[in-house]
Amino acid sequence: MMTWKCAAIGILFASGLATPGLAQDAKAGPPQLSFHVAENFLKLPDNVYMAEVVGVALNSQGHIFVVNRGPRPIMEFDKDGAFIRAIADGFPLFEGPHQLRVDANDDLWYIDAAANLVVEFDKQRRIAMVLGRRDEPWTWKTHVIEHAIPMPSSFYQPTDVTWGADGSIFVSDGYGNSRIVKFDQNGNLVKHWGERGTGPGDFNTPHSIVSDAQGNLYVADRANGRIQVFDGDGTFKQEFRIGGPPWSICITPGPNQVMFVGSVGHIYKVALDGKVLGVMGKFGRVPGMFDWVHGIACPDEHTVYAAEELSWRLDKLTLD
């Protein structure tokens, strides 16, 4: 079997058994995790369809919120997959649905990359906070041109949001910018860090962000093929690679937290120190296979919800 040296990380990869960047024994690779898929889990009403499924989140009741790029972008389902309602139908907010999250208070946060907005809905689904600002073409030739450089609190195609224990809000921003933006619990800008690059604290498409119980932030630096870890003040702590580009991250609750990381054709189970504990799936467009795992949720270590952009599908996975 032919082998070759990968100078970037200085280890040998056996042809066909591993990929560059694997934070694991290159020859053995991470263990394959067995799982099964809940068949036809989501029960949509007649003549209601989802387009690209890009995000998923759960609240404390186990209700499942799904964001997609169809005509009803945000839908809520009960824990068994029964449809409950659509949220904000017809509202002129939905330009480029990208992600959604649920915070510790069960508020729903929606991220729109095209509108440059992060919007918080309270438990009654009233708008509680708006971060960022939509473009206003009708003002461009008048007063806005005087302030053509965006404010630091404005986004350029944001991708995700998470929170600190003190209520701080962290936004990954995003496709256009390459930074993390920190706000206080009232939505006031605190700081931001990062720029386009490959060094520690630099980013190229920070696509997903989560926080652990100790307040550490994990950023899926997708185009750089790594996950970077920071404290709540933006101090760089470490980086690691899992064997594929990180598209989406979730972290389990409880005292013994682990991450699940969605990628292209795979989902990785990863310890908080970066050790790859296992991998599941291969590329495909049918249930049991994965394409672009654009969003992911993990209410426990044995249950994963995968939002698959190319297949227009949400899968509920149970690890065996």
Side-chain angles (χ1 to χ4, degrees):
M1 180 179 294
M2 185 176 70
T3 60
W4 66 95
K5 185 173 183 180
C6 178
I9 54 178
I11 60 178
L12 292 177
F13 289 90
S15 177
L17 294 181
T19 54
L22 190 62
Q24 194 79 5
D25 183 330
K27 292 183 179 179
Q32 295 290 317
L33 303 176
S34 61
F35 64 96
H36 65 270
V37 181
E39 186 176 357
N40 298 320
F41 177 66
L42 295 183
K43 287 80 174 177
L44 289 163
D46 289 344
N47 295 315
V48 174
Y49 300 93
M50 295 189 294
E52 295 89 346
V53 178
V54 290
V56 58
L58 279 72
N59 69 7
S60 62
Q61 297 177 289
H63 287 194
I64 303 146
F65 299 86
V66 181
V67 63
N68 75 99
R69 294 178 181 154
R72 309 184 83 176
I74 303 178
M75 299 189 209
E76 179 180 358
F77 302 83
D78 70 15
K79 60 183 179 61
D80 298 314
F83 179 82
I84 296 176
R85 60 176 167 170
I87 297 170
D89 268 7
F91 193 64
L93 164 65
F94 303 110
E95 297 182 33
H98 193 269
Q99 188 55 273
L100 83 171
R101 298 282 190 175
V102 174
D103 68 18
N105 298 316
D106 274 352
D107 287 0
L108 179 69
W109 294 69
Y110 166 75
I111 300 92
D112 195 295
N116 297 318
L117 294 176
V118 176
V119 180
E120 176 190 9
F121 296 91
D122 66 17
K123 288 185 284 294
Q124 289 72 42
R125 303 306 168 226
R126 300 170 299 201
I127 292 178
M129 184 184 296
V130 178
L131 299 176
R133 187 177 180 186
R134 293 195 301 165
D135 291 337
E136 296 179 323
W138 59 275
T139 66
W140 181 249
K141 292 184 178 180
T142 56
H143 56 286
V144 173
I145 194 65
E146 299 172 8
H147 309 283
I149 299 175
M151 298 283 289
S153 57
S154 295
F155 306 125
Y156 188 3
Q157 299 179 359
T159 54
D160 203 357
V161 65
T162 195
W163 309 272
D166 62 353
S168 296
I169 305 160
F170 300 89
V171 176
S172 51
D173 177 40
Y175 289 109
N177 290 324
S178 299
R179 62 178 187 155
I180 304 301
V181 190
K182 180 179 181 178
F183 301 87
D184 67 19
Q185 62 184 347
N186 299 314
N188 297 311
L189 179 69
V190 176
K191 67 187 303 183
H192 57 94
W193 69 89
E195 59 184 19
R196 183 65 60 91
T198 59
D202 294 335
F203 304 102
N204 189 349
T205 316
H207 197 260
S208 185
I209 185 169
V210 295
S211 57
D212 68 13
Q214 284 68 49
N216 297 308
L217 303 171
Y218 301 78
V219 180
D221 188 9
R222 188 177 76 179
N224 282 327
R226 63 186 178 180
I227 294 172
Q228 295 197 65
V229 186
F230 304 87
D231 68 17
D233 290 321
T235 302
F236 175 82
K237 301 185 75 171
Q238 66 165 323
E239 69 172 65
F240 50 85
R241 299 173 186 270
I242 60 170
W247 282 59
S248 52
I249 309 176
C250 64
I251 190 165
T252 59
N256 301 309
Q257 294 183 296
V258 297
M259 292 182 288
F260 287 90
V261 182
S263 186
V264 177
H266 300 288
I267 294 174
Y268 297 87
K269 183 180 180 181
V270 184
L272 298 189
D273 63 2
K275 180 181 179 181
V276 179
L277 303 174
V279 61
M280 52 184 170
K282 59 182 179 179
F283 192 88
R285 304 295 185 96
V286 297
M289 304 175 78
F290 308 123
D291 51 72
W292 297 349
V293 185
H294 194 277
I296 195 166
C298 47
D300 57 65
E301 197 169 339
H302 302 285
T303 310
V304 174
Y305 296 84
E308 296 175 65
E309 183 176 356
L310 298 182
S311 297
W312 299 18
R313 189 179 71 244
L314 179 84
D315 280 336
K316 180 183 179 182
L317 315 172
T318 302
L319 279 69
D320 298 328

